Amino acid sequence: SLAELRGDAEAARRHRVHLDEVALRNWNAAHLAAETFVSVNRLDRAASAVREFLEVHPDDPSAYRYLAVTLMQDCDFKGGHAILQQIMDMAGDRPGLQMVYAVNAFRLGDSETFYRYHDSRGARDGAESVWDLPVPRWDGQPIAGGKLVVQCEQGVGDYVMYAVCFPGLARKARDVLVKTMPRMFNLFRRSFPD
């Protein structure tokens, strides 16, 4: 807490007792407490606040998801993944959750889990629509004399991150067509003139 940062141990203790009383009652209050700790770069305290809430409310998937993300923000990807697995057992039908689970599985080198849940990204609220083309999905094998269509999606960071793969795709197919958002068009055209 801010009192803790100021060195006022008694005020920090009182604040923590009050915060615990309020935060244990409902997820909105616990979430606000955790966000407060995150804002002052105390991810350990944020995780602690959520764990305490979960002791009283062990069936709240939103709290588990927040805890998993907080652990991953603190570079505890294995701990976050273990929590994500618990949530998947409780509420595995949520596309947003499946996407976070898939991305973390990829980060940990678990390609089987990544591919199992990767397509969930298109089912989440606000997701960019995927082209529905009457062609088979590419399996990574060379397409002799053929065309390969690449669907860019999500945010600018993902576009840039995956663009490093484009030159390698040119060795897999005669033509590579990339669908992208308008704001990335000129950058990609300059970066990949062929």
Side-chain angles (χ1 to χ4, degrees), residues 143-166:
I143 305 170
K147 294 181 181 182
L148 178 62
V149 177
V150 177
Q151 161 96 29
C152 287
E153 57 183 76
Q154 300 189 40
V156 172
D158 291 307
Y159 280 59
V160 172
M161 180 173 65
Y162 290 111
V164 300
C165 301
F166 294 167

Side-chain angles (χ1 to χ4, degrees), residues 133-146:
L133 300 173
V135 295
R137 187 179 187 127
W138 185 47
D139 64 3
Q141 298 302 312
I143 305 170

Side-chain angles (χ1 to χ4, degrees), residues 47 51 64-87 101 104 107-108:
R51 282 189 176 107
Y64 279 105
R65 183 179 186 278
Y66 187 89
L67 177 59
V69 169
T70 301
L71 291 173
M72 291 184 293
Q73 286 174 330
D74 204 22
C75 297
D76 182 1
F77 301 112
K78 289 182 180 178
H81 202 68
I83 299 293
L84 287 171
Q85 181 59 57
Q86 286 180 274
I87 310 167
Y101 189 60
N104 199 54
R107 183 182 291 127
L108 294 173

Side-chain angles (χ1 to χ4, degrees), residues 9-117:
E10 180 53 29
R13 187 196 65 73
R14 284 193 317 271
H15 180 254
R16 180 70 181 173
V17 168
H18 174 71
L19 190 60
D20 286 347
E21 290 171 1
V22 173
L24 291 179
R25 291 186 204 135
N26 67 66
W27 172 238
N28 289 337
H31 182 247
L32 181 60
E35 282 294 301
T36 302
F37 287 125
V38 167
S39 72
V40 293
N41 203 26
R42 292 297 310 267
L43 296 171
D44 58 325
R45 295 295 297 270
S48 219
V50 177
R51 282 189 176 107
E52 290 168 12
F53 174 82
L54 285 168
E55 287 177 15
V56 178
H57 306 278
D59 298 326
D60 190 320
S62 296
Y64 279 105
R65 183 179 186 278
Y66 187 89
L67 177 59
V69 169
T70 301
L71 291 173
M72 291 184 293
Q73 286 174 330
D74 204 22
C75 297
D76 182 1
F77 301 112
K78 289 182 180 178
H81 202 68
I83 299 293
L84 287 171
Q85 181 59 57
Q86 286 180 274
I87 310 167
M88 291 294 290
D89 293 343
M90 285 192 299
D93 60 341
R94 296 180 180 187
L97 170 63
Q98 292 173 350
M99 188 182 94
V100 171
Y101 189 60
V103 169
N104 199 54
F106 181 79
R107 183 182 291 127
L108 294 173
D110 180 356
S111 57
E112 181 181 328
T113 299
F114 170 73
Y115 285 114
R116 184 176 329 128
Y117 293 104

Side-chain angles (χ1 to χ4, degrees), residues 166-167 170 174-177 188-194:
F166 294 167
R174 183 190 72 225
D175 298 312
V176 178
L177 174 67
F188 281 0
R189 187 168 65 190
R190 282 190 312 269
S191 300
F192 310 106
D194 298 331

